[in-house]
Structure formats: structure tokens, C-alpha cells
Amino acid sequence: MERSTRQRTAIRAAIQRSGQPLLAQEVLELAQSAVTGLGLATVYRNLKAMVDDGELRLVLLPGENPRYELAEHAHHHHFLCRGCQRVFDVPDCPGDLRTLAPKGFLVEDHEVTLYGRCIDCSMRRPPRSRRAS
Ligand SMILES: [Zn+2]
Ligand SMILES: [Zn+2]
């Protein structure tokens, strides 16, 4: 029991510190320094339990493996970088999208995902030849 508390604390801290939705593999990489012998299967098991407990929320983008974020975040959206495949939080919301729906349809929720290049990838120049003289 104590060990599982330690695992969950490390996983939560890793997601909190990164400030962005993480893949299980990324959670493992960030949390394994805090918990010796932590493996991917254990990370998955904890992530699932933490989603079931309402502590974490799944971020499911089309064609992407599930990512995890803290459930306490207010309504927000995501940016998927096509350069590095990382997902970032977008705090802003376009607001009321009800007018987009066909007449007579009731909108209950919406998801907005932006695709493009994050600041790191957009500033990265194409690699140059190292031997250029
Ligand atoms: Zn990027
Ligand atoms: Zn929104």
C-alpha cells in the first residue's frame, strides 16, 4: 500500500511538473527517478486507477495514444505539435460554439485541437551540413 502511494505521488508530480498532457511512456521517464524499479506496466496500472478515481483525465486525440493530465484543470484545449508530437495546453477557448450546430441541435460540449509546430520546433532551423567550410 505504501509503495503504491509512493508510485502515485511520483506520477502525479511528474505530470504536474511537466505542465502538459503526457503519454504513459513520458510519465515513466519523468517518474522513474523517484521510484526505483518503476516499470511501464505499473505506470499504466496507476494511471488507470487515477483516472477511475477522478484524479487524472484522459486526453484522447485522434490517432494518438492516450495522454494524461490533472483532472483539476479548468476547461481548456490542446495543441498537438507535428514536429515533436508533444501536446500542450491551450488555456483559451473560442467560447460559445452553439451557433455552429445545425438548427434544432443542442450542443452539450466541444473539443478544439490545434495542430502545428510548437515554439521549439518552429524556431528550429533545418539541419546544416556539419562539414560546410
Ligand atoms: Zn514541437
Ligand atoms: Zn472550449
Side-chain angles (χ1 to χ4, degrees):
M1 182 56 85
E2 194 182 293
R3 175 168 169 76
S4 109
T5 306
R6 202 144 38 91
Q7 290 168 351
R8 280 173 80 135
T9 304
I11 287 170
R12 186 187 166 80
I15 295 174
Q16 196 153 30
R17 224 170 337 143
S18 81
Q20 64 194 96
L22 295 180
L23 298 164
Q25 181 64 42
E26 295 172 322
V27 172
L28 174 63
E29 283 161 18
L30 291 173
Q32 61 190 356
S33 61
V35 182
T36 43
L38 190 65
L40 192 55
T42 306
V43 168
Y44 268 117
R45 198 174 57 240
N46 279 284
L47 288 170
K48 187 185 180 312
M50 291 163 83
V51 169
D52 289 346
D53 291 350
E55 191 178 350
L56 296 181
R57 192 161 47 205
L58 275 171
V59 176
L60 295 169
L61 300 181
E64 291 286 308
N65 286 322
R67 290 178 172 82
Y68 301 84
E69 66 182 5
L70 299 182
E72 68 210 22
H73 281 194
H75 178 86
H76 66 283
H77 297 290
H78 294 114
F79 186 111
L80 174 60
C81 175
R82 286 176 165 151
C84 63
Q85 309 302 321
R86 286 183 295 169
V87 171
F88 301 84
D89 282 349
V90 176
D92 280 342
C93 174
D96 191 349
L97 300 177
R98 272 180 292 186
T99 53
L100 294 180
K103 199 166 165 48
F105 284 52
L106 285 179
V107 176
E108 295 175 338
D109 200 1
H110 67 253
E111 292 187 7
V112 177
T113 305
L114 305 179
Y115 295 87
R117 304 210 156 241
C118 72
I119 187 160
D120 290 346
C121 290
S122 68
M123 299 205 345
R124 192 174 298 144
R125 299 214 165 79
R128 286 185 199 167
S129 166
R130 269 179 222 148
R131 296 266 168 161
S133 54

Short mmCIF file of all heavy atoms in Angstrom, two decimals, residues 63-115:
data_model
loop_
_atom_site.label_atom_id
_atom_site.label_comp_id
_atom_site.label_asym_id
_atom_site.label_seq_id
_atom_site.Cartn_x
_atom_site.Cartn_y
_atom_site.Cartn_z
N GLY A 63 -6.04 9.28 -33.42
CA GLY A 63 -4.83 8.64 -33.91
C GLY A 63 -3.65 8.68 -32.95
O GLY A 63 -2.56 8.25 -33.30
N GLU A 64 -3.88 9.18 -31.75
CA GLU A 64 -2.79 9.31 -30.77
C GLU A 64 -3.01 8.35 -29.61
O GLU A 64 -4.16 8.05 -29.24
CB GLU A 64 -2.77 10.74 -30.22
CG GLU A 64 -2.36 11.80 -31.23
CD GLU A 64 -0.86 11.74 -31.51
OE1 GLU A 64 -0.07 11.76 -30.55
OE2 GLU A 64 -0.49 11.66 -32.69
N ASN A 65 -1.93 7.90 -29.00
CA ASN A 65 -2.04 7.13 -27.78
C ASN A 65 -2.60 8.03 -26.68
O ASN A 65 -2.42 9.26 -26.73
CB ASN A 65 -0.67 6.60 -27.35
CG ASN A 65 -0.21 5.43 -28.21
OD1 ASN A 65 -1.02 4.60 -28.61
ND2 ASN A 65 1.07 5.41 -28.53
N PRO A 66 -3.27 7.44 -25.68
CA PRO A 66 -3.84 8.26 -24.62
C PRO A 66 -2.78 9.04 -23.85
O PRO A 66 -1.69 8.53 -23.60
CB PRO A 66 -4.54 7.25 -23.71
CG PRO A 66 -4.09 5.92 -24.14
CD PRO A 66 -3.59 6.03 -25.53
N ARG A 67 -3.11 10.28 -23.54
CA ARG A 67 -2.28 11.08 -22.65
C ARG A 67 -3.07 11.37 -21.39
O ARG A 67 -4.29 11.20 -21.35
CB ARG A 67 -1.86 12.38 -23.34
CG ARG A 67 -0.84 12.18 -24.47
CD ARG A 67 -0.51 13.51 -25.14
NE ARG A 67 0.59 13.41 -26.09
CZ ARG A 67 0.46 12.98 -27.36
NH1 ARG A 67 -0.72 12.62 -27.81
NH2 ARG A 67 1.50 12.91 -28.17
N TYR A 68 -2.37 11.85 -20.38
CA TYR A 68 -2.98 12.05 -19.07
C TYR A 68 -2.66 13.44 -18.56
O TYR A 68 -1.54 13.93 -18.71
CB TYR A 68 -2.46 11.00 -18.07
CG TYR A 68 -2.75 9.59 -18.54
CD1 TYR A 68 -1.89 8.95 -19.44
CD2 TYR A 68 -3.90 8.92 -18.14
CE1 TYR A 68 -2.17 7.66 -19.91
CE2 TYR A 68 -4.18 7.63 -18.59
CZ TYR A 68 -3.31 7.01 -19.47
OH TYR A 68 -3.59 5.75 -19.94
N GLU A 69 -3.68 14.08 -17.97
CA GLU A 69 -3.47 15.39 -17.36
C GLU A 69 -4.22 15.41 -16.03
O GLU A 69 -5.07 14.57 -15.76
CB GLU A 69 -3.96 16.50 -18.29
CG GLU A 69 -5.46 16.50 -18.51
CD GLU A 69 -5.93 17.58 -19.48
OE1 GLU A 69 -5.10 18.29 -20.07
OE2 GLU A 69 -7.16 17.70 -19.63
N LEU A 70 -3.89 16.40 -15.20
CA LEU A 70 -4.57 16.53 -13.92
C LEU A 70 -6.03 16.91 -14.16
O LEU A 70 -6.32 17.80 -14.96
CB LEU A 70 -3.88 17.58 -13.05
CG LEU A 70 -2.41 17.30 -12.70
CD1 LEU A 70 -1.88 18.41 -11.80
CD2 LEU A 70 -2.26 15.95 -12.03
N ALA A 71 -6.92 16.27 -13.45
CA ALA A 71 -8.35 16.50 -13.67
C ALA A 71 -8.79 17.86 -13.17
O ALA A 71 -9.84 18.35 -13.55
CB ALA A 71 -9.16 15.39 -13.00
N GLU A 72 -7.99 18.46 -12.30
CA GLU A 72 -8.42 19.71 -11.68
C GLU A 72 -8.32 20.92 -12.63
O GLU A 72 -8.81 21.99 -12.30
CB GLU A 72 -7.57 19.98 -10.42
CG GLU A 72 -6.13 20.29 -10.72
CD GLU A 72 -5.19 19.85 -9.59
OE1 GLU A 72 -5.58 18.97 -8.80
OE2 GLU A 72 -4.08 20.39 -9.51
N HIS A 73 -7.68 20.73 -13.80
CA HIS A 73 -7.59 21.84 -14.75
C HIS A 73 -8.98 22.29 -15.20
O HIS A 73 -9.85 21.46 -15.48
CB HIS A 73 -6.81 21.40 -16.01
CG HIS A 73 -5.33 21.41 -15.79
ND1 HIS A 73 -4.43 21.34 -16.82
CD2 HIS A 73 -4.61 21.48 -14.67
CE1 HIS A 73 -3.21 21.37 -16.34
NE2 HIS A 73 -3.29 21.44 -15.03
N ALA A 74 -9.15 23.59 -15.30
CA ALA A 74 -10.41 24.13 -15.81
C ALA A 74 -10.53 23.82 -17.30
O ALA A 74 -9.56 23.37 -17.94
CB ALA A 74 -10.46 25.63 -15.55
N HIS A 75 -11.68 24.10 -17.86
CA HIS A 75 -11.93 23.91 -19.28
C HIS A 75 -10.81 24.54 -20.13
O HIS A 75 -10.48 25.71 -19.95
CB HIS A 75 -13.28 24.56 -19.63
CG HIS A 75 -13.63 24.46 -21.08
ND1 HIS A 75 -14.26 23.37 -21.62
CD2 HIS A 75 -13.43 25.33 -22.11
CE1 HIS A 75 -14.45 23.57 -22.91
NE2 HIS A 75 -13.95 24.74 -23.25
N HIS A 76 -10.22 23.76 -21.02
CA HIS A 76 -9.15 24.27 -21.87
C HIS A 76 -9.04 23.38 -23.10
O HIS A 76 -9.78 22.41 -23.24
CB HIS A 76 -7.83 24.31 -21.11
CG HIS A 76 -7.31 22.95 -20.72
ND1 HIS A 76 -7.83 22.23 -19.68
CD2 HIS A 76 -6.35 22.19 -21.27
CE1 HIS A 76 -7.19 21.08 -19.58
NE2 HIS A 76 -6.29 21.01 -20.54
N HIS A 77 -8.12 23.71 -23.97
CA HIS A 77 -7.95 22.95 -25.21
C HIS A 77 -6.49 22.56 -25.39
O HIS A 77 -5.66 22.84 -24.52
CB HIS A 77 -8.49 23.77 -26.38
CG HIS A 77 -9.95 24.01 -26.22
ND1 HIS A 77 -10.89 23.01 -26.36
CD2 HIS A 77 -10.65 25.13 -25.88
CE1 HIS A 77 -12.10 23.50 -26.12
NE2 HIS A 77 -11.98 24.78 -25.83
N HIS A 78 -6.20 21.90 -26.51
CA HIS A 78 -4.85 21.35 -26.69
C HIS A 78 -4.26 21.72 -28.04
O HIS A 78 -4.97 21.98 -29.00
CB HIS A 78 -4.89 19.82 -26.52
CG HIS A 78 -5.24 19.41 -25.13
ND1 HIS A 78 -6.40 18.76 -24.81
CD2 HIS A 78 -4.58 19.60 -23.96
CE1 HIS A 78 -6.44 18.56 -23.51
NE2 HIS A 78 -5.35 19.06 -22.96
N PHE A 79 -2.94 21.71 -28.05
CA PHE A 79 -2.16 21.96 -29.27
C PHE A 79 -1.26 20.76 -29.48
O PHE A 79 -0.47 20.41 -28.59
CB PHE A 79 -1.31 23.23 -29.07
CG PHE A 79 -0.58 23.68 -30.31
CD1 PHE A 79 -0.95 24.84 -30.97
CD2 PHE A 79 0.50 22.95 -30.81
CE1 PHE A 79 -0.27 25.27 -32.11
CE2 PHE A 79 1.18 23.37 -31.95
CZ PHE A 79 0.80 24.53 -32.60
N LEU A 80 -1.39 20.10 -30.63
CA LEU A 80 -0.52 18.97 -30.93
C LEU A 80 0.55 19.42 -31.92
O LEU A 80 0.24 19.88 -33.02
CB LEU A 80 -1.33 17.81 -31.53
CG LEU A 80 -0.53 16.60 -32.04
CD1 LEU A 80 0.29 15.95 -30.92
CD2 LEU A 80 -1.45 15.56 -32.66
N CYS A 81 1.81 19.31 -31.52
CA CYS A 81 2.91 19.71 -32.39
C CYS A 81 3.23 18.58 -33.36
O CYS A 81 3.48 17.45 -32.94
CB CYS A 81 4.15 20.05 -31.57
SG CYS A 81 5.57 20.43 -32.62
N ARG A 82 3.21 18.89 -34.64
CA ARG A 82 3.51 17.88 -35.65
C ARG A 82 5.00 17.66 -35.79
O ARG A 82 5.44 16.72 -36.45
CB ARG A 82 2.92 18.31 -36.99
CG ARG A 82 1.42 18.15 -37.03
CD ARG A 82 0.86 18.66 -38.34
NE ARG A 82 -0.52 18.19 -38.53
CZ ARG A 82 -1.43 18.85 -39.22
NH1 ARG A 82 -1.13 20.01 -39.78
NH2 ARG A 82 -2.64 18.38 -39.35
N GLY A 83 5.79 18.54 -35.18
CA GLY A 83 7.24 18.36 -35.25
C GLY A 83 7.72 17.36 -34.22
O GLY A 83 8.46 16.44 -34.53
N CYS A 84 7.32 17.54 -32.96
CA CYS A 84 7.84 16.70 -31.88
C CYS A 84 6.76 15.82 -31.26
O CYS A 84 7.05 15.07 -30.33
CB CYS A 84 8.50 17.56 -30.81
SG CYS A 84 7.38 18.72 -29.99
N GLN A 85 5.53 15.91 -31.75
CA GLN A 85 4.41 15.07 -31.28
C GLN A 85 4.06 15.34 -29.82
O GLN A 85 3.41 14.51 -29.19
CB GLN A 85 4.72 13.56 -31.46
CG GLN A 85 5.18 13.17 -32.84
CD GLN A 85 4.18 13.53 -33.93
OE1 GLN A 85 2.99 13.41 -33.75
NE2 GLN A 85 4.68 14.03 -35.04
N ARG A 86 4.49 16.46 -29.26
CA ARG A 86 4.09 16.77 -27.89
C ARG A 86 2.76 17.50 -27.91
O ARG A 86 2.41 18.15 -28.90
CB ARG A 86 5.14 17.63 -27.20
CG ARG A 86 6.40 16.86 -26.81
CD ARG A 86 7.37 17.74 -26.06
NE ARG A 86 7.88 18.82 -26.92
CZ ARG A 86 8.58 19.86 -26.46
NH1 ARG A 86 8.86 19.96 -25.18
NH2 ARG A 86 8.99 20.80 -27.29
N VAL A 87 2.02 17.39 -26.81
CA VAL A 87 0.75 18.08 -26.68
C VAL A 87 0.87 19.14 -25.59
O VAL A 87 1.44 18.89 -24.53
CB VAL A 87 -0.39 17.09 -26.34
CG1 VAL A 87 -1.67 17.81 -25.99
CG2 VAL A 87 -0.62 16.15 -27.51
N PHE A 88 0.38 20.33 -25.89
CA PHE A 88 0.44 21.46 -24.95
C PHE A 88 -0.96 21.93 -24.61
O PHE A 88 -1.88 21.79 -25.42
CB PHE A 88 1.21 22.62 -25.60
CG PHE A 88 2.62 22.26 -25.99
CD1 PHE A 88 2.88 21.64 -27.20
CD2 PHE A 88 3.67 22.52 -25.13
CE1 PHE A 88 4.17 21.28 -27.56
CE2 PHE A 88 4.97 22.18 -25.49
CZ PHE A 88 5.22 21.56 -26.70
N ASP A 89 -1.09 22.52 -23.44
CA ASP A 89 -2.38 23.10 -23.06
C ASP A 89 -2.59 24.42 -23.78
O ASP A 89 -1.66 25.22 -23.93
CB ASP A 89 -2.42 23.36 -21.55
CG ASP A 89 -2.67 22.08 -20.78
OD1 ASP A 89 -3.02 21.07 -21.41
OD2 ASP A 89 -2.52 22.11 -19.55
N VAL A 90 -3.81 24.65 -24.19
CA VAL A 90 -4.23 25.95 -24.74
C VAL A 90 -5.29 26.49 -23.78
O VAL A 90 -6.41 25.98 -23.74
CB VAL A 90 -4.84 25.79 -26.15
CG1 VAL A 90 -5.37 27.12 -26.66
CG2 VAL A 90 -3.81 25.21 -27.11
N PRO A 91 -4.94 27.49 -22.97
CA PRO A 91 -5.88 27.93 -21.94
C PRO A 91 -7.11 28.64 -22.51
O PRO A 91 -8.16 28.62 -21.88
CB PRO A 91 -5.05 28.89 -21.07
CG PRO A 91 -3.87 29.25 -21.90
CD PRO A 91 -3.65 28.16 -22.90
N ASP A 92 -6.98 29.25 -23.67
CA ASP A 92 -8.10 29.99 -24.22
C ASP A 92 -9.14 29.06 -24.85
O ASP A 92 -8.85 27.94 -25.23
CB ASP A 92 -7.63 30.98 -25.29
CG ASP A 92 -7.06 32.23 -24.65
OD1 ASP A 92 -7.35 32.47 -23.46
OD2 ASP A 92 -6.33 32.96 -25.34
N CYS A 93 -10.35 29.59 -24.98
CA CYS A 93 -11.46 28.85 -25.56
C CYS A 93 -12.18 29.78 -26.52
O CYS A 93 -12.38 30.95 -26.21
CB CYS A 93 -12.41 28.41 -24.45
SG CYS A 93 -13.91 27.66 -25.05
N PRO A 94 -12.55 29.28 -27.72
CA PRO A 94 -13.28 30.14 -28.64
C PRO A 94 -14.65 30.54 -28.10
O PRO A 94 -15.30 31.41 -28.67
CB PRO A 94 -13.40 29.31 -29.92
CG PRO A 94 -13.16 27.91 -29.50
CD PRO A 94 -12.29 27.96 -28.28
N GLY A 95 -15.08 29.90 -27.03
CA GLY A 95 -16.33 30.31 -26.40
C GLY A 95 -17.52 29.56 -26.93
O GLY A 95 -17.43 28.37 -27.24
N ASP A 96 -18.60 30.25 -27.03
CA ASP A 96 -19.87 29.63 -27.38
C ASP A 96 -19.88 29.18 -28.85
O ASP A 96 -19.85 30.01 -29.75
CB ASP A 96 -20.99 30.64 -27.12
CG ASP A 96 -22.36 29.99 -27.20
OD1 ASP A 96 -22.43 28.82 -27.66
OD2 ASP A 96 -23.33 30.64 -26.83
N LEU A 97 -19.90 27.88 -29.07
CA LEU A 97 -19.90 27.35 -30.45
C LEU A 97 -21.26 26.84 -30.85
O LEU A 97 -21.40 26.15 -31.87
CB LEU A 97 -18.86 26.22 -30.57
CG LEU A 97 -17.41 26.62 -30.24
CD1 LEU A 97 -16.50 25.41 -30.32
CD2 LEU A 97 -16.92 27.70 -31.19
N ARG A 98 -22.29 27.18 -30.08
CA ARG A 98 -23.62 26.62 -30.34
C ARG A 98 -24.15 27.01 -31.73
O ARG A 98 -24.90 26.26 -32.33
CB ARG A 98 -24.61 27.10 -29.28
CG ARG A 98 -24.62 26.19 -28.06
CD ARG A 98 -25.60 26.67 -27.04
NE ARG A 98 -25.16 27.94 -26.45
CZ ARG A 98 -25.78 28.54 -25.44
NH1 ARG A 98 -26.85 28.00 -24.93
NH2 ARG A 98 -25.32 29.67 -24.96
N THR A 99 -23.71 28.18 -32.20
CA THR A 99 -24.24 28.64 -33.49
C THR A 99 -23.72 27.80 -34.65
O THR A 99 -24.25 27.89 -35.76
CB THR A 99 -23.86 30.11 -33.72
OG1 THR A 99 -22.45 30.23 -33.58
CG2 THR A 99 -24.54 31.03 -32.73
N LEU A 100 -22.67 27.00 -34.42
CA LEU A 100 -22.14 26.14 -35.50
C LEU A 100 -23.05 24.95 -35.77
O LEU A 100 -23.01 24.36 -36.85
CB LEU A 100 -20.74 25.63 -35.14
CG LEU A 100 -19.63 26.67 -35.04
CD1 LEU A 100 -18.32 25.99 -34.67
CD2 LEU A 100 -19.48 27.42 -36.35
N ALA A 101 -23.82 24.55 -34.80
CA ALA A 101 -24.62 23.34 -34.92
C ALA A 101 -25.83 23.59 -35.82
O ALA A 101 -26.32 24.71 -35.91
CB ALA A 101 -25.09 22.88 -33.54
N PRO A 102 -26.27 22.54 -36.52
CA PRO A 102 -27.48 22.69 -37.34
C PRO A 102 -28.66 23.14 -36.49
O PRO A 102 -28.70 22.88 -35.29
CB PRO A 102 -27.72 21.27 -37.89
CG PRO A 102 -26.42 20.57 -37.73
CD PRO A 102 -25.72 21.19 -36.56
N LYS A 103 -29.59 23.77 -37.12
CA LYS A 103 -30.77 24.28 -36.42
C LYS A 103 -31.50 23.15 -35.71
O LYS A 103 -31.70 22.07 -36.27
CB LYS A 103 -31.70 24.95 -37.44
CG LYS A 103 -32.70 25.90 -36.84
CD LYS A 103 -33.33 26.74 -37.95
CE LYS A 103 -34.59 27.46 -37.50
NZ LYS A 103 -34.49 28.17 -36.23
N GLY A 104 -31.85 23.37 -34.46
CA GLY A 104 -32.57 22.37 -33.69
C GLY A 104 -31.68 21.41 -32.93
O GLY A 104 -32.14 20.63 -32.11
N PHE A 105 -30.34 21.45 -33.20
CA PHE A 105 -29.42 20.58 -32.49
C PHE A 105 -28.98 21.26 -31.20
O PHE A 105 -28.75 22.47 -31.18
CB PHE A 105 -28.18 20.29 -33.34
CG PHE A 105 -28.41 19.30 -34.45
CD1 PHE A 105 -29.45 19.47 -35.35
CD2 PHE A 105 -27.56 18.21 -34.59
CE1 PHE A 105 -29.64 18.56 -36.39
CE2 PHE A 105 -27.76 17.30 -35.62
CZ PHE A 105 -28.79 17.47 -36.51
N LEU A 106 -28.84 20.47 -30.13
CA LEU A 106 -28.40 21.01 -28.85
C LEU A 106 -26.93 20.66 -28.62
O LEU A 106 -26.58 19.48 -28.57
CB LEU A 106 -29.23 20.44 -27.71
CG LEU A 106 -30.65 20.99 -27.56
CD1 LEU A 106 -31.35 20.31 -26.39
CD2 LEU A 106 -30.62 22.50 -27.34
N VAL A 107 -26.08 21.65 -28.50
CA VAL A 107 -24.66 21.42 -28.23
C VAL A 107 -24.47 21.28 -26.72
O VAL A 107 -24.91 22.12 -25.95
CB VAL A 107 -23.81 22.60 -28.75
CG1 VAL A 107 -22.35 22.41 -28.37
CG2 VAL A 107 -23.95 22.72 -30.26
N GLU A 108 -23.80 20.19 -26.32
CA GLU A 108 -23.56 19.98 -24.89
C GLU A 108 -22.11 20.21 -24.50
O GLU A 108 -21.80 20.50 -23.36
CB GLU A 108 -23.98 18.56 -24.50
CG GLU A 108 -25.48 18.34 -24.67
CD GLU A 108 -25.89 16.91 -24.39
OE1 GLU A 108 -25.03 16.02 -24.48
OE2 GLU A 108 -27.09 16.71 -24.11
N ASP A 109 -21.21 20.04 -25.45
CA ASP A 109 -19.79 20.17 -25.12
C ASP A 109 -19.04 20.37 -26.43
O ASP A 109 -19.60 20.19 -27.51
CB ASP A 109 -19.30 18.90 -24.42
CG ASP A 109 -18.02 19.15 -23.63
OD1 ASP A 109 -17.54 20.30 -23.61
OD2 ASP A 109 -17.50 18.19 -23.04
N HIS A 110 -17.78 20.74 -26.33
CA HIS A 110 -16.98 20.83 -27.55
C HIS A 110 -15.52 20.51 -27.23
O HIS A 110 -15.09 20.60 -26.09
CB HIS A 110 -17.09 22.23 -28.17
CG HIS A 110 -16.47 23.31 -27.34
ND1 HIS A 110 -17.21 24.22 -26.63
CD2 HIS A 110 -15.18 23.60 -27.09
CE1 HIS A 110 -16.40 25.04 -25.99
NE2 HIS A 110 -15.17 24.69 -26.24
N GLU A 111 -14.80 20.09 -28.27
CA GLU A 111 -13.37 19.91 -28.16
C GLU A 111 -12.72 20.65 -29.31
O GLU A 111 -13.21 20.61 -30.43
CB GLU A 111 -12.99 18.42 -28.24
CG GLU A 111 -13.47 17.65 -27.03
CD GLU A 111 -12.96 16.23 -27.03
OE1 GLU A 111 -12.12 15.89 -27.89
OE2 GLU A 111 -13.40 15.46 -26.17
N VAL A 112 -11.67 21.34 -29.02
CA VAL A 112 -10.93 22.07 -30.05
C VAL A 112 -9.47 21.67 -29.94
O VAL A 112 -8.89 21.73 -28.86
CB VAL A 112 -11.07 23.60 -29.86
CG1 VAL A 112 -10.23 24.34 -30.90
CG2 VAL A 112 -12.53 24.02 -29.95
N THR A 113 -8.89 21.20 -31.02
CA THR A 113 -7.47 20.85 -31.01
C THR A 113 -6.76 21.62 -32.11
O THR A 113 -7.22 21.62 -33.26
CB THR A 113 -7.28 19.33 -31.23
OG1 THR A 113 -8.04 18.62 -30.26
CG2 THR A 113 -5.81 18.96 -31.08
N LEU A 114 -5.69 22.28 -31.74
CA LEU A 114 -4.88 23.00 -32.72
C LEU A 114 -3.72 22.10 -33.13
O LEU A 114 -3.16 21.39 -32.30
CB LEU A 114 -4.35 24.30 -32.11
CG LEU A 114 -5.41 25.24 -31.53
CD1 LEU A 114 -4.74 26.47 -30.93
CD2 LEU A 114 -6.41 25.65 -32.59
N TYR A 115 -3.36 22.14 -34.40
CA TYR A 115 -2.24 21.36 -34.91
C TYR A 115 -1.22 22.31 -35.54
O TYR A 115 -1.60 23.28 -36.19
CB TYR A 115 -2.71 20.36 -35.97
CG TYR A 115 -3.64 19.30 -35.43
CD1 TYR A 115 -5.01 19.53 -35.36
CD2 TYR A 115 -3.15 18.09 -34.97
CE1 TYR A 115 -5.87 18.57 -34.85
CE2 TYR A 115 -4.01 17.12 -34.47
CZ TYR A 115 -5.36 17.36 -34.41
OH TYR A 115 -6.21 16.41 -33.91
#
